[in-house]
Amino acid sequence: LLGDLLCSYAKVLADWDALLWCHLLLRGQATSCMPSLLAVALVCLPYALRLRQCWVDWLASGHWRHLVNGAKYAASFPAFYLAHQFATGTLTNRGWWVFWLSLNWVLSLAWDLAMDWALLRDRRGLRPKLGFPIFAYYGATLLNASLRAAWVLR
């Protein structure tokens, strides 16, 4: 549960790096406040916690879904590191960054639809018992896919 919560606040954790490094330690004297590797580590920490949890769950249950969920979190690490390289101007191959972002997008979207939202269960693509009108589910699916794609294409 803590890992899930922290994943939602990963960007906030990275912003702590900027606050501590650029504003408190350097007291605004830095000409450029580029994200440091500390920021990458802070962003990766919640994902590492979730990856470990998926591994432990897989060892305990042997169910494949924990490995797929773990792959989703593992695909985040290269994407975050390459995003850091992009931000600092040291990225030499943007294709790898797009690859890892796209892989994470596909895994995250598939996980949302199949596991978190329990969709894709019948021919309509929806679960048997619905709490909202059908159009809300399709709309949320399109919105989720679009926002995740926008993150990849930024």
Side-chain angles (χ1 to χ4, degrees):
L1 206 52
L2 178 62
D4 276 341
L5 178 66
L6 290 176
C7 283
S8 299
Y9 290 102
K11 174 69 171 113
V12 174
L13 293 173
D15 289 343
W16 275 98
D17 170 66
L19 174 69
L20 294 173
W21 180 252
C22 296
H23 299 292
L24 297 179
L25 296 176
L26 297 178
R27 300 192 191 283
Q29 300 301 313
T31 58
S32 167
C33 250
M34 287 294 161
S36 71
L37 284 176
L38 175 61
V40 175
L42 289 172
V43 169
C44 287
L45 180 64
Y47 292 83
L49 291 172
R50 287 293 291 130
L51 178 59
R52 182 190 176 281
Q53 180 184 7
C54 292
W55 181 256
V56 168
D57 289 346
W58 177 72
L59 290 175
S61 72
H63 200 282
W64 62 269
R65 75 173 178 260
H66 300 298
L67 290 179
V68 174
N69 199 18
K72 175 182 76 173
Y73 291 107
S76 300
F77 301 133
F80 291 144
Y81 177 71
L82 293 170
H84 169 266
Q85 285 190 323
F86 179 76
T88 58
T90 59
L91 182 67
T92 57
N93 186 343
R94 189 175 175 138
W96 281 112
W97 183 34
V98 172
F99 168 78
W100 286 107
L101 285 173
S102 299
L103 179 62
N104 184 261
W105 175 74
V106 168
L107 291 171
S108 297
L109 182 63
W111 187 265
D112 283 352
L113 297 179
M115 305 305 284
D116 288 346
W117 299 0
L119 300 179
L120 308 175
R121 299 275 168 102
D122 67 14
R123 62 183 169 83
R124 290 185 311 166
L126 300 176
R127 62 177 92 173
K129 185 176 179 184
L130 302 177
F132 299 99
I134 289 174
F135 71 86
Y137 289 92
Y138 292 123
T141 299
L142 290 173
L143 182 63
N144 185 343
S146 300
L147 291 175
R148 288 185 182 278
W151 185 63
V152 171
L153 298 173
R154 67 179 161 148

